[in-house]
Amino acid sequence: MDIQSLLAAATDGHGAVNPWAAVAYLVSGVFFILALRGLSSPASSQRGNRFGMIGMTIAVVTTLVTHVPMKIGDATNSYVGIDAVAMAEILAAIGIGAVIGIVMARRIAMTAMPQLVAAFHSLVGLAAVAVAAAAYLNPLAFGIADAAGQIYTVSRIEMGLGIAIGAITFSGSVIAFLKLNGNMSGAPIMLPARHVINLGTLAAIIGLVAYFTFDQSPWVFWTVTALSFLIGFLLIIPIGGADMPVVVSMLNSYSGWAAAAMGFTLGNTAMIITGALVGSSGAILSYIMCRAMNRSFISVIAGGFGGDDAAAGAGGAKEQRPWKPGSADDAAFLMSQAENVIIVPGYGMAVAQAQHALREMGDLLKKEGVNVKYAIHPVAGRMPGHMNVLLAEANVPYDEVFELEDINGEFAQCDVAFVIGANDVTNPSAKTDKSSPIYGMPVLDVEKAKTVLFVKRSMGGVGYAGVDNDVFYMDQTMMLLGDAKKMADDIVKALNGGGH
Amino acid sequence: MDFIAIFSIFILACFVGYFVVWSVTPALHTPLMSVTNAISSVIIVGALIASAAAGSATSKWLGLAAVVMASINIFGGFAVTARMLAMYKKKER
């Protein structure tokens, strides 16, 4: 046996992969693991991101070198060798993507990060669909078919799963993007008998993928594709705005599984390792988000939560209770006299673009000798970790920002809890009232602070869950009604004027 | 490579993913998402193979379209992650 056939035997079955290329893909996979490992602390995170870039460069260069487009001579042209035009097209495609990607990354506002991530997920999904379709149309080029053009059975299953997951990721992410970007209402759209429709479609997809192993005709392949696009759309439309952090995480997971399925088709370890990493990452983030809202994954998928119905239902039963109003001057005085202040920001703070004014307020308080900390609830933003990014953008040092379980014990010792743009995540009824829709959700214990300053637009509105918050009516609470940014600015002015 | 070998790598990688992701600090969950987004575009490998292969024009153009999409994700994903991570600063002492 000569070397060539030995190598071929070593990589038989799943694509004719050159062993050196296989090693390079494995190295690239290891770099991706290191990239995620780097995110265990902000200090090592930038190095982690660079590892990711190195891994990607290795994977892309290896593929470019091992899959050079070749021209095979024909009757009119006897040239045999590198197809320069095809190579230029490929490099141009990478270049176009690079320009679009970098421009998007530079321009995007940090508040719009969830939309950007959803848009990126949809691209992974669509790319997976395109690759699976390309492999279906030209299976010999991927080494997944015999000489007669019959695709291997295993490859058919992998390909079917790849295109299904890819298509679901694409259409689901498009809907998530439209909802997050405000092009589509965040209210759930409930089709009649939607569970029957969804389960039926899902069963049809699974059945057709199984049938695909017997019959590789185009109608089977394209029907699976069309039904998968449809189910992705159907699965996300009934999910309300409040559950979007779970949806974004879930789609993150799907985009990983899509990459893994294509990795199986191509026998590519870099794709399989990455797919498994991303798939688990998204699944864990979905779990963390569900736990933070005390919602089960099934109930999120079933949809219907966080719509207008819930808000309207709770609004009717509200009673009038006395509450204490306060001004920016009062707030400035109380906080400058305090020893410990914990700031609790929510998404309303980010919507009002109050993060810079808030950080300035924190700086002035620190100058007065006040110990300032920030407390973040896992669902404070619109995607996992979103609030941390928004505070980091406003130059709040990350070692002053604490997660719920790390800081919850400190509210009892703190003089002032300053809640801005958050509501449900501070509601003590989640701990005591079994009839509350948010019962069981972990909340920040702001009611234990000596004084609570609650910045809120008006007394009328309620949070996503549509429940009243007892903290508003407590003796130690002062309601600071107004726009979050204006209130923070006014407090800064009062601190500047009164303090010195 | 045979299916079982690939499948073993996949299952082990799922475990690696599980432990590595739980060790990511919650403060960096948004960058985690954008970087996983970038790396899942390693699917560009399949797109490049399709674009370079002779035999089917449709397959080649699908491949090139996938190269553009994956490349947007790779460059955009790593760039936006780098932009976010650069904002995380420690307290000045």
Side-chain angles (χ1 to χ4, degrees):
Chain A
M1 211 190 263
D2 62 294
I3 291 287
Q4 210 54 44
S5 47
L6 260 177
L7 291 185
T11 57
D12 197 29
H14 276 80
V17 182
N18 162 338
W20 288 110
V23 172
Y25 287 132
L26 183 62
V27 171
S28 146
V30 171
F31 271 108
F32 292 147
I33 295 173
L34 292 175
L36 298 198
R37 179 71 202 154
L39 293 175
S40 58
S41 90
S44 60
S45 61
Q46 284 175 298
R47 192 181 51 202
N49 198 34
R50 281 194 289 276
F51 281 143
M53 295 183 205
I54 296 171
M56 189 58 75
T57 310
I58 294 174
V60 169
V61 170
T62 307
T63 315
L64 284 174
V65 170
T66 53
H67 290 83
V68 178
M70 299 301 276
K71 221 176 185 135
I72 298 121
D74 54 31
T76 55
N77 190 344
S78 62
Y79 174 80
V80 176
I82 295 172
D83 184 343
V85 177
M87 197 69 204
E89 283 169 350
I90 292 173
L91 295 177
I94 296 178
I96 293 169
V99 171
I100 299 174
I102 290 175
V103 169
M104 281 167 85
R106 289 242 170 105
R107 292 215 178 135
I108 193 79
M110 286 300 145
T111 39
M113 196 53 69
Q115 290 95 298
L116 182 77
V117 167
F120 280 165
H121 286 156
S122 74
L123 287 176
V124 179
L126 198 56
V129 170
V131 172
Y136 174 71
L137 294 170
N138 196 2
L140 283 170
F142 287 81
I144 54 170
D146 59 23
Q150 286 292 309
I151 303 170
Y152 302 129
T153 310
V154 172
S155 302
R156 290 190 201 184
I157 299 175
E158 294 158 356
M159 198 188 255
L161 288 177
I163 201 151
I165 303 171
I168 293 173
T169 309
F170 171 72
S171 53
S173 300
V174 168
I175 302 296
F177 171 83
L178 293 175
K179 287 196 172 194
L180 286 164
N181 206 33
N183 304 93
M184 202 174 146
S185 158
I189 298 168
M190 316 285 265
L191 294 178
R194 64 181 200 284
H195 294 311
V196 178
I197 299 174
N198 289 354
L199 290 175
T201 315
L202 214 57
I205 293 171
I206 294 167
L208 281 170
V209 170
Y211 181 67
F212 189 53
T213 58
F214 300 104
D215 177 5
Q216 64 173 39
S217 4
W219 75 265
V220 185
F221 187 79
W222 298 116
T223 311
V224 168
T225 314
L227 286 178
S228 306
F229 278 126
L230 180 71
I231 188 107
F233 172 78
L234 290 174
L235 277 175
I236 308 301
I237 54 167
I239 303 183
D243 284 337
M244 276 302 140
V246 183
V247 171
V248 176
S249 317
M250 192 177 80
L251 291 165
N252 183 238
S253 179
Y254 289 176
S255 70
W257 304 130
M262 292 318 298
F264 274 105
T265 310
L266 303 181
N268 185 298
T269 44
M271 281 165 88
I272 289 171
I273 294 175
T274 314
L277 290 177
V278 179
S280 357
S281 163
I284 291 172
L285 291 176
S286 311
Y287 167 77
I288 293 174
M289 289 293 107
C290 282
R291 193 181 55 182
M293 296 192 291
N294 192 38
R295 310 254 291 118
S296 79
F297 194 65
I298 299 293
S299 73
V300 171
I301 300 293
F305 187 78
D308 300 334
D309 295 356
K318 224 164 72 180
E319 47 174 325
Q320 289 294 323
R321 282 191 278 174
W323 49 276
K324 214 175 353 170
S327 69
D329 291 324
D330 300 334
F333 177 77
L334 275 167
M335 285 194 284
S336 58
Q337 298 303 310
E339 203 172 315
N340 294 302
V341 171
I342 300 180
I343 299 174
V344 180
Y347 190 67
M349 183 278 294
V351 172
Q353 289 290 321
Q355 55 269 46
H356 291 89
L358 190 66
R359 196 258 311 151
E360 215 179 312
M361 183 188 98
D363 285 351
L364 287 168
L365 288 173
K366 277 190 275 175
K367 245 186 236 161
E368 306 258 345
V370 182
N371 184 11
V372 179
K373 285 179 178 175
Y374 295 79
I376 309 268
H377 191 277
V379 292
R382 290 198 126 186
M383 67 187 286
H386 193 195
M387 190 53 63
N388 302 76
V389 175
L390 295 169
L391 290 178
E393 190 195 16
N395 285 323
V396 172
Y398 65 79
D399 40 5
E400 288 176 9
V401 181
F402 297 87
E403 302 301 320
L404 179 131
E405 55 268 36
D406 297 329
I407 200 162
N408 234 358
E410 293 186 30
F411 280 105
Q413 286 89 48
C414 100
D415 303 294
V416 179
F418 184 82
V419 185
I420 180 165
N423 184 358
D424 292 341
V425 298
T426 64
N427 195 334
S429 74
K431 289 179 282 193
T432 50
D433 180 6
K434 284 202 168 115
S435 66
S436 169
I438 57 169
Y439 178 74
M441 177 171 124
V443 287
L444 290 157
D445 299 335
V446 293
E447 79 279 3
K448 292 190 179 149
K450 290 195 191 80
T451 304
V452 182
L453 297 173
F454 214 111
V455 181
K456 203 169 177 298
R457 190 170 285 279
S458 70
M459 286 307 285
V462 283
Y464 259 136
V467 276
D468 209 4
N469 191 340
D470 286 338
V471 172
F472 302 160
Y473 313 105
M474 294 187 320
D475 283 343
Q476 77 266 39
T477 304
M478 191 181 270
M479 298 301 295
L480 305 170
L481 298 186
D483 174 73
K485 178 164 188 322
K486 186 159 184 310
M487 185 56 69
D489 279 334
D490 288 349
I491 296 174
V492 167
K493 264 184 230 150
L495 284 170
N496 273 328
H500 300 281
Chain B
M1 258 190 284
D2 69 285
F3 179 76
I4 292 299
I6 295 187
F7 193 64
S8 313
I9 294 174
F10 175 70
I11 295 296
L12 292 176
C14 284
F15 277 93
V16 172
Y18 180 85
F19 290 110
V20 169
V21 172
W22 273 116
S23 77
V24 171
T25 165
L28 293 176
H29 276 164
T30 296
L32 170 68
M33 271 198 163
S34 60
V35 85
T36 50
N37 218 315
I39 65 172
S40 60
S41 299
V42 70
I43 201 151
I44 196 171
V45 167
L48 289 170
I49 295 175
S51 325
S56 162
T58 321
S59 171
K60 183 187 134 175
W61 287 107
L62 279 170
L64 283 173
V67 170
V68 174
M69 291 185 275
S71 164
I72 292 177
N73 239 334
I74 291 171
F75 286 90
F78 282 126
V80 85
T81 308
R83 196 180 136 200
M84 279 192 275
L85 294 177
M87 298 188 310
Y88 283 80
K89 294 200 180 70
K90 250 184 132 80
K91 208 176 329 194
E92 296 151 23
R93 286 171 212 279

